[in-house]
Amino acid sequence: MNKFSEAVYLFFKPLCHQMDSRSFHINGVKLAVCSRCSSIYLGVLFGVFIAPIVINRKFLNKANLLLVLALIPSLFEFLYERFFGVEVLTAKVLSSLWLGGIAGLILTSQIIDMFSSQG
């Protein structure tokens, strides 16, 4: 690994277990975070991009409920893996994308609302 790669892996080390068997690989190189974390980050990015299109004032009132509802699929997937020892990659990726997308949407909508109410 080069110095930049080492720095990226070290940065994410406190946030993710970085297990090789649970990580995506691109051209044979393991990503710095596992498949669950990668999917959450990708979902956040997607949520940030679509937030200006889909948010409105009523959305902000339901943000907490929406976040709790977004956590449910990830919680079920996590508990299923923990108790049954079966990793279902599709379920992990989809639930994590959903959670990350909702989180990105909520964060972006909060930031947009913060700056628009100051003006």
Side-chain angles (χ1 to χ4, degrees):
M1 277 193 290
N2 62 33
K3 296 286 185 191
F4 179 73
S5 298
E6 287 179 22
V8 171
Y9 278 86
L10 281 173
F11 176 79
F12 284 107
K13 191 171 183 78
L15 305 173
C16 180
H17 56 72
Q18 299 178 330
M19 290 174 59
D20 189 57
S21 63
R22 294 182 175 211
S23 299
F24 292 127
H25 293 75
I26 298 175
N27 291 332
V29 178
K30 179 180 68 110
L31 295 183
V33 291
C34 68
S35 58
R36 180 178 286 127
C37 293
S38 297
S39 299
I40 290 172
Y41 297 147
L42 186 61
V44 168
L45 183 65
F46 184 70
V48 166
F49 283 128
I50 67 166
I53 300 166
V54 300
I55 61 170
N56 59 31
R57 286 271 182 216
K58 292 179 186 175
F59 175 80
L60 293 174
N61 296 335
K62 296 182 174 109
N64 291 338
L65 174 64
L66 193 57
L67 189 57
V68 169
L69 292 175
L71 280 167
I72 291 172
S74 288
L75 179 64
F76 278 121
E77 179 275 322
F78 176 80
L79 292 174
Y80 184 81
E81 182 179 321
R82 183 66 66 189
F83 287 118
F84 295 106
V86 177
E87 181 180 4
V88 182
L89 184 61
T90 306
K92 182 184 290 190
V93 168
L94 292 176
S95 64
S96 298
L97 279 170
W98 175 248
L99 175 60
I102 297 300
L105 196 62
I106 291 170
L107 282 170
T108 304
S109 66
Q110 295 288 337
I111 292 169
I112 290 171
D113 185 58
M114 179 179 68
F115 283 111
S116 65
S117 63
Q118 288 182 0

